[in-house]
Amino acid sequence: MQHHERDKTSIMNIGIIGAGMIGGTLARRLTQLGHHVSLANSRGPETLVPLAAETGARAVTAHAAARSGEIVIVTVPERAVKDLPKDLFEDVPSSVVVIDTGNYYPARDGSISEIEQGQPESAWVADQIGRPVVKAFNNIFFQSLLEKGTPATTANRVAIPVAGGTSEARAKVMQLVDQLGFDPVDAGDLDESWRQQPGTPCYTGDFSAPELRKALASVERARIPEYRKAADDAARAYWS
């Protein structure tokens, strides 16, 4: 695993809501980079004391995490999005970038009609929380996120797609992806984010940037139900 030294100007305050595989991994990696991380889950800060002690993150409530800095990462199962506090982002400045790492698995999340009817998963999340989001870190397995970060000059560096938000918000997330040791690939607007959903060619492929761009371009929107079913069937044993 790479430990990158960050200069003080690039240190950020980052909130993470959700402490599962991706949330916990991001907490570990981001604190290693020197960022100040506030970590929340649905069960309360006291349940995060061991993980906070291990990572150096601060255990807080979801409300506090949403107000902790420049970037807030929402990393909860799709079924848990509706359970987030309705006022979670109330009065949070619009300059704060919200990242959605989530994926929709019907076997775990139940059926969500808007997504089943074609709405991109992260667009649905944005509607639920009342904030624009940037989709990132959804297509990488947590173990790869933990272990495969490499310096920017590394050949065949693993790439991560970043979609949605304003170009400024996307650039901020892409900078974070790069700091974590991955090549950020601009995957366009949130309307295009279906290209990196479960079961698509780029999903958990650990591709290089050229390979990732090719995978994103090869995906067919009409096949989304097919991609989703393949991913859901593969994960079904895991969720049961």
Side-chain angles (χ1 to χ4, degrees):
M1 191 193 305
Q2 300 296 319
H3 295 259
H4 305 259
E5 289 298 321
R6 304 256 50 91
D7 65 77
K8 290 283 185 266
T9 58
S10 63
I11 298 298
M12 287 190 288
N13 295 312
I14 299 171
I16 301 178
I17 299 170
M21 295 301 194
I22 293 294
T25 299
L26 284 169
R28 286 184 178 86
R29 295 294 325 279
L30 291 169
T31 52
Q32 285 167 1
L33 291 171
H35 295 295
H36 305 297
V37 175
S38 297
L39 182 64
N41 67 5
S42 60
R43 294 175 295 149
E46 63 282 355
T47 64
L48 290 170
V49 170
L51 184 59
E54 178 197 335
T55 62
R58 196 164 59 101
V60 299
T61 64
H63 272 101
R67 289 154 182 77
S68 63
E70 301 121 274
I71 290 179
V72 178
I73 302 169
V74 177
T75 176
V76 300
E78 225 77 334
R79 62 179 157 77
V81 170
K82 283 192 169 183
D83 296 330
L84 292 171
K86 297 303 174 202
D87 59 350
L88 185 60
F89 289 101
E90 195 173 286
D91 301 325
V92 173
S94 59
S95 58
V96 173
V97 177
V98 180
I99 298 173
D100 171 41
T101 77
N103 292 305
Y104 171 52
Y105 284 94
R108 176 193 63 184
D109 301 317
S111 181
I112 298 173
S113 60
E114 296 94 333
I115 296 175
E116 293 288 350
Q117 289 162 22
Q119 184 176 27
E121 293 167 14
S122 287
W124 179 83
V125 171
D127 282 352
Q128 303 311 304
I129 65 173
R131 288 285 293 214
V133 302
V134 176
K135 189 180 189 74
F137 305 115
N138 78 294
N139 80 314
I140 188 166
F141 187 55
F142 82 95
Q143 202 80 30
S144 296
L145 185 60
L146 185 66
E147 297 174 352
K148 292 191 177 181
T150 55
T153 52
T154 308
N156 297 316
R157 192 185 195 205
V158 174
I160 290 177
V162 179
T166 62
S167 55
E168 293 82 6
R170 212 151 55 235
K172 202 165 189 175
V173 177
M174 290 173 73
Q175 179 190 15
L176 198 65
V177 169
D178 184 43
Q179 287 180 9
L180 285 162
F182 301 91
D183 270 350
V185 169
D186 189 329
D189 297 334
L190 204 61
D191 284 346
E192 295 297 309
S193 65
W194 57 270
R195 296 178 180 275
Q196 64 200 69
Q197 290 178 174
T200 58
C202 82
Y203 197 68
T204 65
D206 288 348
F207 293 131
S208 66
E211 291 168 336
L212 177 59
R213 289 189 186 96
K214 189 174 178 182
L216 288 167
S218 72
V219 69
E220 298 172 42
R221 193 158 197 163
R223 293 179 65 190
I224 288 176
E226 175 190 334
Y227 300 138
R228 179 173 296 135
K229 185 178 186 311
D232 204 46
D233 287 348
R236 196 172 291 271
Y238 182 77
W239 307 133
S240 61

